[in-house]
Short mmCIF file of all heavy atoms in Angstrom, two decimals:
data_model
loop_
_atom_site.label_atom_id
_atom_site.label_comp_id
_atom_site.label_asym_id
_atom_site.label_seq_id
_atom_site.Cartn_x
_atom_site.Cartn_y
_atom_site.Cartn_z
N ILE A 897 0.86 -1.23 0.06
CA ILE A 897 0.00 -0.02 0.00
C ILE A 897 0.93 1.24 0.02
O ILE A 897 0.61 2.18 -0.78
CB ILE A 897 -0.86 0.05 1.30
CG1 ILE A 897 -1.72 -1.27 1.34
CG2 ILE A 897 -1.88 1.26 1.14
CD1 ILE A 897 -2.43 -1.34 2.61
N SER A 898 1.84 1.25 0.77
CA SER A 898 2.68 2.43 1.06
C SER A 898 4.08 2.13 1.33
O SER A 898 4.38 1.19 2.00
CB SER A 898 2.10 3.35 2.14
OG SER A 898 2.98 4.51 2.41
N GLN A 899 5.01 2.94 0.83
CA GLN A 899 6.52 2.71 1.12
C GLN A 899 7.11 4.14 1.36
O GLN A 899 6.71 5.07 0.82
CB GLN A 899 7.18 1.99 0.00
CG GLN A 899 6.80 0.51 -0.18
CD GLN A 899 7.49 -0.14 -1.29
OE1 GLN A 899 7.41 0.27 -2.49
NE2 GLN A 899 8.26 -1.23 -0.97
N GLN A 900 8.04 4.10 2.24
CA GLN A 900 8.88 5.26 2.56
C GLN A 900 10.38 4.96 2.50
O GLN A 900 10.69 3.81 2.90
CB GLN A 900 8.55 5.87 3.87
CG GLN A 900 7.18 6.45 3.97
CD GLN A 900 7.08 7.87 3.23
OE1 GLN A 900 7.88 8.64 3.45
NE2 GLN A 900 6.01 7.97 2.46
N VAL A 901 11.22 5.85 2.07
CA VAL A 901 12.69 5.60 1.99
C VAL A 901 13.40 6.95 2.35
O VAL A 901 12.87 8.04 2.01
CB VAL A 901 13.05 5.09 0.56
CG1 VAL A 901 12.90 6.10 -0.49
CG2 VAL A 901 14.58 4.52 0.63
N VAL A 902 14.54 6.80 3.01
CA VAL A 902 15.39 7.90 3.29
C VAL A 902 16.77 7.53 2.98
O VAL A 902 17.24 6.42 3.26
CB VAL A 902 15.20 8.37 4.74
CG1 VAL A 902 15.55 7.31 5.71
CG2 VAL A 902 15.90 9.66 5.08
N GLU A 903 17.58 8.45 2.52
CA GLU A 903 19.01 8.22 2.16
C GLU A 903 19.77 8.33 3.47
O GLU A 903 19.56 9.25 4.25
CB GLU A 903 19.52 9.24 1.12
CG GLU A 903 18.97 8.90 -0.24
CD GLU A 903 19.63 9.80 -1.31
OE1 GLU A 903 20.53 10.61 -0.97
OE2 GLU A 903 19.21 9.60 -2.46
N VAL A 904 20.80 7.43 3.69
CA VAL A 904 21.74 7.50 4.69
C VAL A 904 23.14 7.35 4.20
O VAL A 904 23.27 7.09 3.00
CB VAL A 904 21.39 6.35 5.77
CG1 VAL A 904 20.08 6.52 6.38
CG2 VAL A 904 21.52 5.00 5.09
N ASP A 905 24.11 7.48 4.99
CA ASP A 905 25.48 7.37 4.55
C ASP A 905 26.41 6.70 5.61
O ASP A 905 25.83 6.25 6.70
CB ASP A 905 26.05 8.71 4.08
CG ASP A 905 26.01 9.77 5.20
OD1 ASP A 905 26.23 9.49 6.35
OD2 ASP A 905 25.96 10.92 4.76
N HIS A 906 27.64 6.78 5.44
CA HIS A 906 28.61 6.12 6.31
C HIS A 906 28.72 6.71 7.71
O HIS A 906 29.25 6.07 8.65
CB HIS A 906 30.01 6.22 5.66
CG HIS A 906 30.47 7.63 5.41
ND1 HIS A 906 30.14 8.28 4.26
CD2 HIS A 906 31.18 8.45 6.15
CE1 HIS A 906 30.65 9.49 4.27
NE2 HIS A 906 31.31 9.61 5.42
N THR A 907 28.14 7.94 7.90
CA THR A 907 28.20 8.50 9.14
C THR A 907 27.11 7.95 10.16
O THR A 907 27.10 8.28 11.33
CB THR A 907 27.99 10.03 9.11
OG1 THR A 907 26.66 10.31 8.60
CG2 THR A 907 29.02 10.64 8.18
N TYR A 908 26.21 7.23 9.62
CA TYR A 908 25.01 6.69 10.32
C TYR A 908 25.49 5.41 11.14
O TYR A 908 25.90 4.40 10.46
CB TYR A 908 23.89 6.30 9.45
CG TYR A 908 22.97 7.53 9.16
CD1 TYR A 908 23.54 8.47 8.24
CD2 TYR A 908 21.71 7.66 9.50
CE1 TYR A 908 22.74 9.53 7.81
CE2 TYR A 908 20.91 8.69 9.13
CZ TYR A 908 21.40 9.69 8.32
OH TYR A 908 20.66 10.74 7.96
N GLY A 909 25.47 5.48 12.40
CA GLY A 909 25.70 4.15 13.20
C GLY A 909 24.41 3.35 13.21
O GLY A 909 23.50 3.83 12.78
N PRO A 910 24.58 2.20 13.84
CA PRO A 910 23.39 1.35 13.97
C PRO A 910 22.20 1.98 14.61
O PRO A 910 21.06 1.83 14.14
CB PRO A 910 23.89 0.19 14.87
CG PRO A 910 25.39 0.14 14.54
CD PRO A 910 25.78 1.58 14.42
N GLU A 911 22.39 2.72 15.74
CA GLU A 911 21.23 3.46 16.37
C GLU A 911 20.67 4.55 15.56
O GLU A 911 19.47 4.78 15.53
CB GLU A 911 21.68 3.95 17.73
CG GLU A 911 22.06 2.83 18.73
CD GLU A 911 20.97 1.79 18.81
OE1 GLU A 911 19.76 2.13 18.97
OE2 GLU A 911 21.30 0.57 18.77
N ASP A 912 21.52 5.19 14.75
CA ASP A 912 20.99 6.20 13.83
C ASP A 912 20.13 5.61 12.73
O ASP A 912 19.14 6.16 12.32
CB ASP A 912 22.17 6.93 13.11
CG ASP A 912 23.13 7.69 14.12
OD1 ASP A 912 22.52 8.24 15.03
OD2 ASP A 912 24.27 7.55 13.99
N LEU A 913 20.50 4.41 12.25
CA LEU A 913 19.79 3.71 11.22
C LEU A 913 18.41 3.30 11.81
O LEU A 913 17.38 3.31 11.20
CB LEU A 913 20.53 2.51 10.72
CG LEU A 913 21.82 2.77 9.90
CD1 LEU A 913 22.46 1.45 9.53
CD2 LEU A 913 21.48 3.62 8.70
N VAL A 914 18.39 2.81 13.06
CA VAL A 914 17.18 2.41 13.75
C VAL A 914 16.23 3.61 13.86
O VAL A 914 15.05 3.53 13.54
CB VAL A 914 17.50 1.88 15.18
CG1 VAL A 914 16.17 1.68 15.97
CG2 VAL A 914 18.25 0.56 15.06
N ALA A 915 16.73 4.82 14.23
CA ALA A 915 15.94 6.00 14.38
C ALA A 915 15.40 6.42 13.00
O ALA A 915 14.21 6.71 12.89
CB ALA A 915 16.78 7.09 14.99
N ALA A 916 16.16 6.33 11.99
CA ALA A 916 15.63 6.65 10.63
C ALA A 916 14.63 5.67 10.24
O ALA A 916 13.61 6.04 9.54
CB ALA A 916 16.80 6.71 9.66
N GLY A 917 14.84 4.40 10.49
CA GLY A 917 13.88 3.36 10.17
C GLY A 917 12.61 3.53 10.87
O GLY A 917 11.50 3.41 10.34
N ARG A 918 12.64 4.01 12.14
CA ARG A 918 11.35 4.22 12.90
C ARG A 918 10.57 5.32 12.15
O ARG A 918 9.34 5.19 12.07
CB ARG A 918 11.66 4.68 14.31
CG ARG A 918 12.10 3.46 15.17
CD ARG A 918 12.53 4.01 16.55
NE ARG A 918 12.99 2.97 17.47
CZ ARG A 918 13.91 3.10 18.43
NH1 ARG A 918 14.30 4.34 18.66
NH2 ARG A 918 14.15 2.07 19.18
N ASP A 919 11.14 6.35 11.74
CA ASP A 919 10.50 7.48 11.08
C ASP A 919 9.77 6.94 9.83
O ASP A 919 8.66 7.31 9.50
CB ASP A 919 11.40 8.56 10.72
CG ASP A 919 11.93 9.32 11.99
OD1 ASP A 919 11.24 9.24 13.06
OD2 ASP A 919 12.91 10.03 11.87
N THR A 920 10.51 6.13 9.01
CA THR A 920 9.90 5.62 7.76
C THR A 920 8.74 4.72 8.04
O THR A 920 7.72 4.67 7.34
CB THR A 920 11.01 4.99 6.83
OG1 THR A 920 11.54 3.81 7.58
CG2 THR A 920 12.08 5.90 6.49
N GLU A 921 8.84 3.85 9.11
CA GLU A 921 7.79 2.97 9.46
C GLU A 921 6.65 3.67 9.85
O GLU A 921 5.44 3.31 9.46
CB GLU A 921 8.27 2.04 10.63
CG GLU A 921 9.35 0.99 10.19
CD GLU A 921 9.94 0.29 11.36
OE1 GLU A 921 9.49 0.44 12.51
OE2 GLU A 921 10.95 -0.51 11.16
N CYS A 922 6.70 4.76 10.73
CA CYS A 922 5.55 5.53 11.17
C CYS A 922 4.86 6.12 10.00
O CYS A 922 3.67 6.14 9.89
CB CYS A 922 5.96 6.61 12.12
SG CYS A 922 6.50 5.92 13.73
N LYS A 923 5.62 6.68 9.06
CA LYS A 923 5.06 7.49 7.91
C LYS A 923 4.31 6.53 6.94
O LYS A 923 3.21 6.72 6.51
CB LYS A 923 6.04 8.35 7.24
CG LYS A 923 5.52 9.12 6.11
CD LYS A 923 4.41 10.14 6.61
CE LYS A 923 3.92 11.05 5.52
NZ LYS A 923 2.75 11.88 5.97
N ALA A 924 5.02 5.39 6.67
CA ALA A 924 4.42 4.48 5.72
C ALA A 924 3.11 3.80 6.26
O ALA A 924 2.18 3.64 5.53
CB ALA A 924 5.39 3.32 5.43
N LEU A 925 3.10 3.55 7.61
CA LEU A 925 1.96 2.95 8.16
C LEU A 925 0.83 3.88 8.24
O LEU A 925 -0.37 3.58 7.86
CB LEU A 925 2.28 2.35 9.56
CG LEU A 925 1.13 1.56 10.21
CD1 LEU A 925 0.64 0.38 9.36
CD2 LEU A 925 1.58 1.09 11.67
N SER A 926 1.01 5.14 8.68
CA SER A 926 -0.01 6.08 8.78
C SER A 926 -0.60 6.41 7.38
O SER A 926 -1.81 6.69 7.28
CB SER A 926 0.45 7.34 9.44
OG SER A 926 1.44 8.04 8.66
N ASN A 927 0.27 6.53 6.40
CA ASN A 927 -0.29 6.71 5.03
C ASN A 927 -1.19 5.53 4.62
O ASN A 927 -2.28 5.71 4.07
CB ASN A 927 0.89 6.81 3.95
CG ASN A 927 1.51 8.22 4.06
OD1 ASN A 927 0.96 9.15 4.54
ND2 ASN A 927 2.64 8.35 3.45
N ALA A 928 -0.71 4.38 4.80
CA ALA A 928 -1.56 3.15 4.41
C ALA A 928 -2.84 3.16 5.14
O ALA A 928 -3.92 2.84 4.54
CB ALA A 928 -0.76 1.85 4.72
N VAL A 929 -2.92 3.45 6.44
CA VAL A 929 -4.16 3.46 7.20
C VAL A 929 -5.01 4.59 6.68
O VAL A 929 -6.27 4.36 6.49
CB VAL A 929 -3.85 3.61 8.70
CG1 VAL A 929 -5.22 3.98 9.41
CG2 VAL A 929 -3.12 2.46 9.30
N ARG A 930 -4.51 5.66 6.45
CA ARG A 930 -5.30 6.86 5.95
C ARG A 930 -5.91 6.54 4.58
O ARG A 930 -7.10 6.71 4.36
CB ARG A 930 -4.48 8.09 5.79
CG ARG A 930 -5.22 9.34 5.20
CD ARG A 930 -4.31 10.52 4.98
NE ARG A 930 -3.86 11.03 6.28
CZ ARG A 930 -2.58 10.82 6.61
NH1 ARG A 930 -1.66 10.25 5.80
NH2 ARG A 930 -2.12 11.32 7.79
N TRP A 931 -5.10 6.02 3.63
CA TRP A 931 -5.66 5.73 2.28
C TRP A 931 -6.63 4.70 2.31
O TRP A 931 -7.66 4.73 1.56
CB TRP A 931 -4.39 5.38 1.33
CG TRP A 931 -3.46 6.55 1.14
CD1 TRP A 931 -3.69 7.87 1.33
CD2 TRP A 931 -2.01 6.51 0.83
NE1 TRP A 931 -2.55 8.58 1.22
CE2 TRP A 931 -1.50 7.80 0.81
CE3 TRP A 931 -1.24 5.36 0.54
CZ2 TRP A 931 -0.26 8.09 0.45
CZ3 TRP A 931 0.14 5.67 0.18
CH2 TRP A 931 0.60 6.99 0.18
N HIS A 932 -6.40 3.66 3.12
CA HIS A 932 -7.35 2.54 3.29
C HIS A 932 -8.71 3.07 3.71
O HIS A 932 -9.76 2.83 3.16
CB HIS A 932 -6.92 1.42 4.10
CG HIS A 932 -7.84 0.35 4.38
ND1 HIS A 932 -7.96 -0.79 3.63
CD2 HIS A 932 -8.96 0.27 5.28
CE1 HIS A 932 -8.96 -1.55 4.03
NE2 HIS A 932 -9.56 -0.93 5.09
N CYS A 933 -8.62 3.85 4.77
CA CYS A 933 -9.87 4.31 5.42
C CYS A 933 -10.56 5.39 4.67
O CYS A 933 -11.78 5.67 4.88
CB CYS A 933 -9.60 4.78 6.89
SG CYS A 933 -9.06 3.48 7.98
N GLU A 934 -9.87 6.03 3.75
CA GLU A 934 -10.52 7.13 2.86
C GLU A 934 -10.97 6.42 1.57
O GLU A 934 -11.53 7.16 0.71
CB GLU A 934 -9.55 8.23 2.55
CG GLU A 934 -9.15 9.16 3.74
CD GLU A 934 -8.15 10.14 3.43
OE1 GLU A 934 -7.62 10.13 2.24
OE2 GLU A 934 -7.87 11.07 4.28
N GLY A 935 -10.96 5.14 1.53
CA GLY A 935 -11.41 4.46 0.28
C GLY A 935 -10.55 4.77 -0.89
O GLY A 935 -11.04 4.70 -2.07
N ARG A 936 -9.23 4.94 -0.74
CA ARG A 936 -8.28 5.23 -1.81
C ARG A 936 -7.63 3.98 -2.33
O ARG A 936 -6.93 3.97 -3.35
CB ARG A 936 -7.31 6.22 -1.47
CG ARG A 936 -7.95 7.56 -1.09
CD ARG A 936 -6.98 8.67 -0.70
NE ARG A 936 -7.61 9.92 -0.37
CZ ARG A 936 -8.12 10.81 -1.23
NH1 ARG A 936 -7.96 10.63 -2.54
NH2 ARG A 936 -8.70 11.95 -0.86
N VAL A 937 -7.73 2.87 -1.62
CA VAL A 937 -7.04 1.64 -1.97
C VAL A 937 -7.88 0.58 -2.56
O VAL A 937 -8.90 0.17 -1.90
CB VAL A 937 -6.22 1.07 -0.75
CG1 VAL A 937 -5.36 -0.06 -1.19
CG2 VAL A 937 -5.35 2.11 0.01
#
């Protein structure tokens, strides 16, 4: 239904990647819920 992506680089440690991943998970999921409930999917 929905995907999100963000660019990272060599300066990102494991915890930085986790934080970036959390943001993309939240946005992708909220978009999917919104679009489904608005009858867009």
Side-chain angles (χ1 to χ4, degrees):
I897 307 170
S898 174
Q899 293 180 299
Q900 290 287 313
V901 66
V902 61
E903 291 187 358
V904 296
D905 60 29
H906 57 276
T907 65
Y908 282 67
E911 295 307 316
D912 300 317
L913 295 178
V914 170
R918 285 175 181 153
D919 289 343
T920 62
E921 289 170 7
C922 290
K923 185 59 176 173
L925 185 58
S926 65
N927 280 345
V929 172
R930 177 183 299 106
W931 296 339
H932 174 94
C933 293
E934 290 179 354
R936 299 183 182 277
V937 186

